[in-house]
Amino acid sequence: MSNIASRKVVVLGGSRGIGAALVRRFAGAGDSVVFSYAGSVDAAAALAEETSARAVRVDSADRDALIAAVAAEGPIDVLLVNAGTLAMGDPLTLDPDAIDAMIDVNVRAPYHAAVEAARTMPDNGRILIIGSTNGDRIPFEGGAAYAMTKAATQGMVRGLARDFGARGITVNAIQPGPTDTDMNPATGPMADTMHGFMAIKRHVHAGEIADYAAFLASTSGAMITGSLQTIDGGFSA
Ligand code: NDP
């Protein structure tokens, strides 16, 4: 795995937020980047134009389409699974279909995408899945199912790191804390509450996640595997 590029990098869920920061960071470093999106057609087109990355429309909730899309991009040097959704609220009234849809995107999709990418991934490849600090700590009501999906990421990366380690492939989770995106704006109604749980009382910038992902994907990250890399301003401390 060279730091000099050009590597084939696939970002699942790259049209907005943390995913878009990942696309910008890796494309800016000279990697050949392909990113997926589902609903944000205009944002995806604009980002592709800006970065020269290639955009592919594929819904991560559609398992067979996702597996086919990942297979079509192989061999992939670096797989970044970012796509995620957030369904929060009173578990007694939340729509069970919304919970299952979240599980499809946050749990099933990363697993199947990682396994498919690993089939043809070169030795010393990289698989990074965006989890959440809520996999470790959920200090408010209404987040049980979301926290469950992000705890699933933890077992996933630990196990897959064992499965692919003999080939030098690393598998890790990045666990952001509150990060300023459409999902969780720094000016949103929950911001002050979340800052109250943090040692450094501000939202994470998406670029800070992307910078760390770039480090993990570099040769310097060769022995970091099966790990949970938390970037949360002390939310979970
Ligand atoms: P955003 O809602 O801002 O962006 C989500 C991105 O994921 C979009 O590019 C979206 O694409 C894509 N996406 C969502 N569903 C699908 C799908 N079914 N198929 C393909 N792409 C999809 O979220 P964030 O950037 O904030 O979050 C990114 C990841 O980081 C998620 O996994 C989230 O759980 C995690 N995270 C976020 C935190 C935060 O505070 N923001 C904190 C901790 C973790 P499109 O719009 O085209 O559908």
Side-chain angles (χ1 to χ4, degrees), residues 1-234:
M1 174 83 29
S2 166
N3 281 332
I4 300 172
S6 170
R7 301 169 299 185
K8 173 71 172 280
V9 177
V10 170
V11 180
L12 296 178
S15 51
R16 296 182 290 112
I18 294 169
L22 292 169
V23 171
R24 289 191 176 96
R25 183 66 176 72
F26 282 81
D31 291 317
S32 174
V33 179
V34 177
F35 70 91
S36 73
Y37 67 101
S40 298
V41 177
D42 293 344
L47 185 64
E49 172 76 20
E50 173 195 328
T51 61
S52 298
R54 182 159 52 85
V56 178
R57 191 172 196 178
V58 55
D59 182 351
S60 285
D62 183 339
R63 185 192 66 194
D64 292 344
L66 176 69
I67 289 172
V70 170
E73 298 301 336
I76 297 167
D77 296 300
V78 179
L79 176 70
L80 304 161
V81 186
N82 169 76
T85 61
L86 172 69
M88 286 193 70
D90 182 349
L92 301 183
T93 55
L94 271 175
D95 178 359
D97 286 341
I99 299 300
D100 286 359
M102 178 171 65
I103 292 169
D104 284 345
V105 177
N106 293 10
V107 180
R108 294 181 197 274
Y111 177 83
H112 291 301
V115 169
E116 190 58 35
R119 288 187 203 285
T120 57
M121 183 169 275
D123 287 356
N124 305 315
R126 301 282 187 264
I127 298 172
L128 273 170
I129 300 175
I130 306 297
S132 168
T133 190
N134 293 138
D136 285 322
R137 185 178 188 223
I138 185 76
F140 40 74
E141 297 163 357
Y146 180 73
M148 173 181 73
T149 68
K150 296 304 186 176
T153 304
Q154 301 178 337
M156 192 184 306
V157 301
R158 288 172 170 141
L160 292 178
R162 302 265 179 202
D163 291 320
F164 306 137
R167 294 156 54 192
I169 293 171
T170 67
V171 188
N172 293 288
I174 290 182
Q175 302 194 135
T179 304
D180 186 17
T181 66
D182 296 338
M183 181 187 280
N184 185 3
T187 54
M190 284 285 286
D192 285 346
T193 302
M194 285 184 288
H195 296 168
F197 297 120
M198 301 168 76
I200 299 173
K201 298 182 185 306
R202 68 160 173 85
H203 272 45
V204 182
H205 306 309
E208 293 172 321
I209 307 293
D211 285 347
Y212 197 56
F215 169 77
L216 293 170
S218 75
T219 52
S220 299
M223 286 301 285
I224 303 171
T225 196
S227 75
L228 314 174
Q229 302 291 326
T230 301
I231 306 176
D232 70 351

